mmCIF file of all heavy atoms in Angstrom:
data_model
loop_
_atom_site.group_PDB
_atom_site.id
_atom_site.type_symbol
_atom_site.label_atom_id
_atom_site.label_comp_id
_atom_site.label_asym_id
_atom_site.label_seq_id
_atom_site.Cartn_x
_atom_site.Cartn_y
_atom_site.Cartn_z
ATOM 1 N N LEU A 147 6.209 11.116 -1.344
ATOM 2 C CA LEU A 147 6.762 12.225 -2.249
ATOM 3 C C LEU A 147 7.699 13.133 -1.472
ATOM 4 O O LEU A 147 8.781 13.551 -2.175
ATOM 5 C CB LEU A 147 5.467 13.201 -2.582
ATOM 6 C CG LEU A 147 5.772 14.208 -3.654
ATOM 7 C CD1 LEU A 147 6.192 13.479 -4.952
ATOM 8 C CD2 LEU A 147 4.684 15.064 -3.860
ATOM 9 N N SER A 148 7.637 13.239 -0.210
ATOM 10 C CA SER A 148 8.735 14.041 0.555
ATOM 11 C C SER A 148 10.080 13.319 0.462
ATOM 12 O O SER A 148 10.957 13.942 0.419
ATOM 13 C CB SER A 148 8.206 14.085 2.074
ATOM 14 O OG SER A 148 7.110 14.903 2.159
ATOM 15 N N GLU A 149 9.955 11.983 0.576
ATOM 16 C CA GLU A 149 11.195 11.256 0.488
ATOM 17 C C GLU A 149 11.811 11.431 -0.906
ATOM 18 O O GLU A 149 13.091 11.681 -1.064
ATOM 19 C CB GLU A 149 11.102 9.701 0.847
ATOM 20 C CG GLU A 149 12.327 8.894 0.726
ATOM 21 C CD GLU A 149 12.075 7.490 1.227
ATOM 22 O OE1 GLU A 149 10.996 6.988 1.216
ATOM 23 O OE2 GLU A 149 13.079 6.905 1.699
ATOM 24 N N PHE A 150 10.987 11.432 -1.925
ATOM 25 C CA PHE A 150 11.459 11.671 -3.269
ATOM 26 C C PHE A 150 12.174 13.077 -3.449
ATOM 27 O O PHE A 150 13.251 13.106 -3.956
ATOM 28 C CB PHE A 150 10.306 11.450 -4.267
ATOM 29 C CG PHE A 150 10.695 11.826 -5.669
ATOM 30 C CD1 PHE A 150 11.521 11.162 -6.403
ATOM 31 C CD2 PHE A 150 9.940 12.891 -6.290
ATOM 32 C CE1 PHE A 150 11.920 11.544 -7.733
ATOM 33 C CE2 PHE A 150 10.229 13.198 -7.576
ATOM 34 C CZ PHE A 150 11.166 12.569 -8.365
ATOM 35 N N LYS A 151 11.467 14.041 -2.869
ATOM 36 C CA LYS A 151 11.982 15.311 -2.955
ATOM 37 C C LYS A 151 13.336 15.385 -2.180
ATOM 38 O O LYS A 151 14.303 16.124 -2.792
ATOM 39 C CB LYS A 151 11.039 16.261 -2.240
ATOM 40 C CG LYS A 151 11.262 17.668 -2.427
ATOM 41 C CD LYS A 151 10.222 18.670 -1.919
ATOM 42 C CE LYS A 151 10.435 19.113 -0.507
ATOM 43 N NZ LYS A 151 9.393 19.949 -0.037
ATOM 44 N N SER A 152 13.588 14.732 -1.082
ATOM 45 C CA SER A 152 14.769 14.760 -0.285
ATOM 46 C C SER A 152 15.990 14.133 -1.077
ATOM 47 O O SER A 152 17.128 14.512 -0.724
ATOM 48 C CB SER A 152 14.566 14.009 0.971
ATOM 49 O OG SER A 152 14.531 12.613 0.801
ATOM 50 N N LEU A 153 15.703 13.308 -2.122
ATOM 51 C CA LEU A 153 16.675 12.670 -2.807
ATOM 52 C C LEU A 153 17.265 13.394 -4.061
ATOM 53 O O LEU A 153 18.215 13.034 -4.682
ATOM 54 C CB LEU A 153 16.370 11.334 -3.271
ATOM 55 C CG LEU A 153 15.871 10.152 -2.193
ATOM 56 C CD1 LEU A 153 15.263 9.053 -2.822
ATOM 57 C CD2 LEU A 153 17.168 9.843 -1.443
ATOM 58 N N LEU A 154 16.622 14.450 -4.368
ATOM 59 C CA LEU A 154 16.768 15.271 -5.669
ATOM 60 C C LEU A 154 17.962 16.291 -5.385
ATOM 61 O O LEU A 154 17.695 17.554 -5.246
ATOM 62 C CB LEU A 154 15.620 15.924 -6.206
ATOM 63 C CG LEU A 154 14.384 14.988 -6.302
ATOM 64 C CD1 LEU A 154 13.194 15.663 -7.011
ATOM 65 C CD2 LEU A 154 14.732 13.793 -7.141
ATOM 66 N N LYS A 155 19.283 15.803 -5.258
ATOM 67 C CA LYS A 155 20.306 16.713 -4.989
ATOM 68 C C LYS A 155 20.714 17.567 -6.341
ATOM 69 O O LYS A 155 21.167 18.600 -6.313
ATOM 70 C CB LYS A 155 21.623 15.943 -4.565
ATOM 71 C CG LYS A 155 21.314 15.076 -3.457
ATOM 72 C CD LYS A 155 20.696 15.838 -2.211
ATOM 73 C CE LYS A 155 20.524 14.761 -1.001
ATOM 74 N NZ LYS A 155 19.842 15.501 0.126
ATOM 75 N N THR A 156 20.454 16.859 -7.579
ATOM 76 C CA THR A 156 20.732 17.451 -8.681
ATOM 77 C C THR A 156 19.567 17.106 -9.688
ATOM 78 O O THR A 156 18.639 16.237 -9.373
ATOM 79 C CB THR A 156 21.996 16.952 -9.359
ATOM 80 O OG1 THR A 156 21.911 15.649 -9.722
ATOM 81 C CG2 THR A 156 23.188 17.187 -8.492
ATOM 82 N N ARG A 157 19.632 17.715 -10.973
ATOM 83 C CA ARG A 157 18.559 17.444 -11.925
ATOM 84 C C ARG A 157 18.804 15.958 -12.521
ATOM 85 O O ARG A 157 17.716 15.331 -12.784
ATOM 86 C CB ARG A 157 18.521 18.408 -13.070
ATOM 87 C CG ARG A 157 18.085 19.771 -12.587
ATOM 88 C CD ARG A 157 17.946 20.779 -13.760
ATOM 89 N NE ARG A 157 17.382 21.997 -13.273
ATOM 90 C CZ ARG A 157 16.116 22.308 -13.069
ATOM 91 N NH1 ARG A 157 15.202 21.398 -13.524
ATOM 92 N NH2 ARG A 157 15.706 23.487 -12.613
ATOM 93 N N LEU A 158 20.037 15.491 -12.408
ATOM 94 C CA LEU A 158 20.197 14.182 -12.830
ATOM 95 C C LEU A 158 19.722 13.046 -11.935
ATOM 96 O O LEU A 158 19.047 12.035 -12.256
ATOM 97 C CB LEU A 158 21.659 13.873 -13.014
ATOM 98 C CG LEU A 158 22.395 14.486 -14.233
ATOM 99 C CD1 LEU A 158 23.849 14.222 -14.189
ATOM 100 C CD2 LEU A 158 21.773 13.978 -15.502
ATOM 101 N N HIS A 159 19.594 13.490 -10.684
ATOM 102 C CA HIS A 159 18.995 12.565 -9.566
ATOM 103 C C HIS A 159 17.482 12.528 -9.950
ATOM 104 O O HIS A 159 16.864 11.390 -9.849
ATOM 105 C CB HIS A 159 19.081 13.137 -8.147
ATOM 106 C CG HIS A 159 20.478 12.891 -7.617
ATOM 107 N ND1 HIS A 159 21.434 13.944 -7.769
ATOM 108 C CD2 HIS A 159 20.921 11.835 -7.101
ATOM 109 C CE1 HIS A 159 22.642 13.374 -7.065
ATOM 110 N NE2 HIS A 159 22.248 12.098 -6.686
ATOM 111 N N ALA A 160 16.939 13.524 -10.376
ATOM 112 C CA ALA A 160 15.484 13.651 -10.691
ATOM 113 C C ALA A 160 15.157 12.676 -11.866
ATOM 114 O O ALA A 160 14.225 11.867 -11.809
ATOM 115 C CB ALA A 160 15.059 15.007 -10.929
ATOM 116 N N VAL A 161 15.926 12.677 -12.849
ATOM 117 C CA VAL A 161 15.958 11.842 -13.929
ATOM 118 C C VAL A 161 16.041 10.325 -13.522
ATOM 119 O O VAL A 161 15.185 9.472 -13.920
ATOM 120 C CB VAL A 161 16.827 12.274 -15.133
ATOM 121 C CG1 VAL A 161 16.749 11.178 -16.224
ATOM 122 C CG2 VAL A 161 16.581 13.576 -15.715
ATOM 123 N N PHE A 162 16.981 10.159 -12.829
ATOM 124 C CA PHE A 162 17.239 8.827 -12.397
ATOM 125 C C PHE A 162 16.084 8.103 -11.567
ATOM 126 O O PHE A 162 15.616 7.026 -11.974
ATOM 127 C CB PHE A 162 18.511 8.617 -11.481
ATOM 128 C CG PHE A 162 18.790 7.358 -10.877
ATOM 129 C CD1 PHE A 162 19.433 6.331 -11.670
ATOM 130 C CD2 PHE A 162 18.508 7.006 -9.524
ATOM 131 C CE1 PHE A 162 19.696 5.073 -11.198
ATOM 132 C CE2 PHE A 162 18.760 5.736 -9.058
ATOM 133 C CZ PHE A 162 19.316 4.817 -9.902
ATOM 134 N N TYR A 163 15.530 8.818 -10.676
ATOM 135 C CA TYR A 163 14.521 8.329 -9.749
ATOM 136 C C TYR A 163 13.132 8.329 -10.483
ATOM 137 O O TYR A 163 12.266 7.566 -10.158
ATOM 138 C CB TYR A 163 14.431 9.152 -8.398
ATOM 139 C CG TYR A 163 15.587 8.878 -7.566
ATOM 140 C CD1 TYR A 163 16.550 9.739 -7.273
ATOM 141 C CD2 TYR A 163 15.696 7.562 -6.983
ATOM 142 C CE1 TYR A 163 17.633 9.423 -6.233
ATOM 143 C CE2 TYR A 163 16.817 7.145 -6.107
ATOM 144 C CZ TYR A 163 17.664 8.074 -5.767
ATOM 145 O OH TYR A 163 18.823 7.792 -4.910
ATOM 146 N N ALA A 164 12.927 9.336 -11.386
ATOM 147 C CA ALA A 164 11.763 9.264 -12.133
ATOM 148 C C ALA A 164 11.628 7.981 -12.956
ATOM 149 O O ALA A 164 10.567 7.396 -13.186
ATOM 150 C CB ALA A 164 11.664 10.462 -13.152
ATOM 151 N N PHE A 165 12.776 7.575 -13.538
ATOM 152 C CA PHE A 165 12.863 6.345 -14.266
ATOM 153 C C PHE A 165 13.050 5.103 -13.403
ATOM 154 O O PHE A 165 12.852 3.940 -13.922
ATOM 155 C CB PHE A 165 13.824 6.419 -15.327
ATOM 156 C CG PHE A 165 13.268 7.301 -16.533
ATOM 157 C CD1 PHE A 165 13.656 8.501 -16.643
ATOM 158 C CD2 PHE A 165 12.635 6.689 -17.667
ATOM 159 C CE1 PHE A 165 13.150 9.377 -17.548
ATOM 160 C CE2 PHE A 165 12.348 7.404 -18.760
ATOM 161 C CZ PHE A 165 12.585 8.752 -18.690
ATOM 162 N N ASN A 166 13.352 5.293 -12.130
ATOM 163 C CA ASN A 166 13.621 4.112 -11.241
ATOM 164 C C ASN A 166 12.964 4.267 -9.854
ATOM 165 O O ASN A 166 13.536 4.515 -8.799
ATOM 166 C CB ASN A 166 15.148 3.938 -10.994
ATOM 167 C CG ASN A 166 15.881 3.546 -12.236
ATOM 168 O OD1 ASN A 166 15.890 2.434 -12.615
ATOM 169 N ND2 ASN A 166 16.402 4.595 -12.836
ATOM 170 N N PRO A 167 11.554 4.538 -9.863
ATOM 171 C CA PRO A 167 10.823 4.810 -8.623
ATOM 172 C C PRO A 167 11.013 3.865 -7.558
ATOM 173 O O PRO A 167 10.888 4.021 -6.421
ATOM 174 C CB PRO A 167 9.434 4.990 -9.129
ATOM 175 C CG PRO A 167 9.258 4.066 -10.339
ATOM 176 C CD PRO A 167 10.623 4.389 -11.044
ATOM 177 N N GLY A 168 11.276 2.523 -7.890
ATOM 178 C CA GLY A 168 11.537 1.515 -6.968
ATOM 179 C C GLY A 168 12.798 1.800 -6.113
ATOM 180 O O GLY A 168 12.820 0.965 -4.854
ATOM 181 N N ARG A 169 13.588 2.581 -6.437
ATOM 182 C CA ARG A 169 14.832 2.819 -5.601
ATOM 183 C C ARG A 169 14.602 4.065 -4.670
ATOM 184 O O ARG A 169 15.449 4.424 -3.951
ATOM 185 C CB ARG A 169 15.988 3.183 -6.557
ATOM 186 C CG ARG A 169 16.437 1.975 -7.386
ATOM 187 C CD ARG A 169 17.604 2.250 -8.311
ATOM 188 N NE ARG A 169 18.081 1.146 -9.043
ATOM 189 C CZ ARG A 169 18.914 0.156 -8.568
ATOM 190 N NH1 ARG A 169 19.406 0.220 -7.334
ATOM 191 N NH2 ARG A 169 19.140 -0.828 -9.474
ATOM 192 N N VAL A 170 13.368 4.654 -4.669
ATOM 193 C CA VAL A 170 13.210 5.780 -3.709
ATOM 194 C C VAL A 170 12.989 5.366 -2.344
ATOM 195 O O VAL A 170 13.625 5.801 -1.450
ATOM 196 C CB VAL A 170 12.027 6.530 -4.313
ATOM 197 C CG1 VAL A 170 11.555 7.641 -3.232
ATOM 198 C CG2 VAL A 170 12.254 7.208 -5.699
ATOM 199 N N PRO A 171 12.057 4.391 -1.934
ATOM 200 C CA PRO A 171 11.799 4.298 -0.578
ATOM 201 C C PRO A 171 12.885 3.691 0.166
ATOM 202 O O PRO A 171 13.392 2.557 -0.146
ATOM 203 C CB PRO A 171 10.616 3.263 -0.539
ATOM 204 C CG PRO A 171 9.990 3.399 -2.023
ATOM 205 C CD PRO A 171 11.149 3.762 -2.855
ATOM 206 N N HIS A 172 13.231 4.296 1.220
ATOM 207 C CA HIS A 172 14.385 3.971 2.176
ATOM 208 C C HIS A 172 13.804 3.685 3.544
ATOM 209 O O HIS A 172 14.390 2.837 4.247
ATOM 210 C CB HIS A 172 15.640 4.870 2.187
ATOM 211 C CG HIS A 172 16.310 5.012 0.896
ATOM 212 N ND1 HIS A 172 15.863 5.487 -0.219
ATOM 213 C CD2 HIS A 172 17.632 4.452 0.710
ATOM 214 C CE1 HIS A 172 16.897 5.365 -1.076
ATOM 215 N NE2 HIS A 172 17.879 4.679 -0.636
ATOM 216 N N GLY A 173 12.906 4.550 4.006
ATOM 217 C CA GLY A 173 12.315 4.552 5.359
ATOM 218 C C GLY A 173 11.893 5.939 5.848
ATOM 219 O O GLY A 173 12.284 6.862 5.146
ATOM 220 N N PRO A 174 11.324 5.993 6.932
ATOM 221 C CA PRO A 174 10.770 7.200 7.407
ATOM 222 C C PRO A 174 12.232 8.141 7.866
ATOM 223 O O PRO A 174 13.318 7.423 8.225
ATOM 224 C CB PRO A 174 10.130 6.938 8.602
ATOM 225 C CG PRO A 174 9.656 5.506 8.512
ATOM 226 C CD PRO A 174 10.683 4.832 7.581
ATOM 227 N N PRO A 175 12.112 9.373 7.765
ATOM 228 C CA PRO A 175 13.240 10.113 8.126
ATOM 229 C C PRO A 175 13.777 9.776 9.627
ATOM 230 O O PRO A 175 12.890 9.786 10.483
ATOM 231 C CB PRO A 175 12.739 11.568 8.101
ATOM 232 C CG PRO A 175 11.593 11.591 7.217
ATOM 233 C CD PRO A 175 10.990 10.251 7.356
ATOM 234 N N PRO A 176 15.005 9.527 9.937
ATOM 235 C CA PRO A 176 15.445 9.202 11.296
ATOM 236 C C PRO A 176 14.897 10.312 12.218
ATOM 237 O O PRO A 176 14.603 9.935 13.428
ATOM 238 C CB PRO A 176 16.855 9.005 11.114
ATOM 239 C CG PRO A 176 17.149 8.707 9.644
ATOM 240 C CD PRO A 176 16.009 9.384 8.925
ATOM 241 N N ALA A 177 15.139 11.522 11.886
ATOM 242 C CA ALA A 177 14.776 12.601 12.705
ATOM 243 C C ALA A 177 13.258 12.535 13.207
ATOM 244 O O ALA A 177 12.792 12.924 14.259
ATOM 245 C CB ALA A 177 15.054 13.965 12.337
ATOM 246 N N LEU A 178 12.388 12.139 12.163
ATOM 247 C CA LEU A 178 10.984 11.980 12.490
ATOM 248 C C LEU A 178 10.704 10.854 13.384
ATOM 249 O O LEU A 178 9.745 10.949 14.307
ATOM 250 C CB LEU A 178 10.128 11.958 11.121
ATOM 251 C CG LEU A 178 8.646 11.972 11.347
ATOM 252 C CD1 LEU A 178 8.120 13.057 12.175
ATOM 253 C CD2 LEU A 178 8.078 12.021 9.919
ATOM 254 N N LEU A 179 11.412 9.723 13.035
ATOM 255 C CA LEU A 179 11.198 8.472 14.088
ATOM 256 C C LEU A 179 11.596 9.065 15.445
ATOM 257 O O LEU A 179 10.845 8.677 16.423
ATOM 258 C CB LEU A 179 12.142 7.453 13.671
ATOM 259 C CG LEU A 179 11.607 6.582 12.384
ATOM 260 C CD1 LEU A 179 12.719 5.784 11.841
ATOM 261 C CD2 LEU A 179 10.466 5.755 12.871
ATOM 262 N N SER A 180 12.658 9.836 15.678
ATOM 263 C CA SER A 180 12.985 10.215 16.949
ATOM 264 C C SER A 180 11.928 11.149 17.557
ATOM 265 O O SER A 180 11.680 11.040 18.730
ATOM 266 C CB SER A 180 14.412 10.934 16.831
ATOM 267 O OG SER A 180 15.422 10.109 16.571
ATOM 268 N N LYS A 181 11.436 11.991 16.676
ATOM 269 C CA LYS A 181 10.454 13.040 17.238
ATOM 270 C C LYS A 181 9.177 12.182 17.642
ATOM 271 O O LYS A 181 8.432 12.506 18.689
ATOM 272 C CB LYS A 181 9.902 13.951 16.104
ATOM 273 C CG LYS A 181 8.895 14.992 16.548
ATOM 274 C CD LYS A 181 9.442 15.781 17.687
ATOM 275 C CE LYS A 181 8.626 16.908 18.080
ATOM 276 N NZ LYS A 181 9.120 17.863 19.119
#
Side-chain angles (χ1 to χ4, degrees):
L147 192 63
S148 291
E149 184 171 23
F150 173 63
K151 188 172 98 173
S152 72
L153 296 171
L154 306 185
K155 309 302 182 186
T156 68
R157 292 185 177 272
L158 286 178
H159 284 97
V161 173
F162 176 79
Y163 287 113
F165 283 87
N166 297 275
R169 295 183 178 273
V170 171
H172 290 72
L178 184 52
L179 282 168
S180 296
K181 183 65 177 180

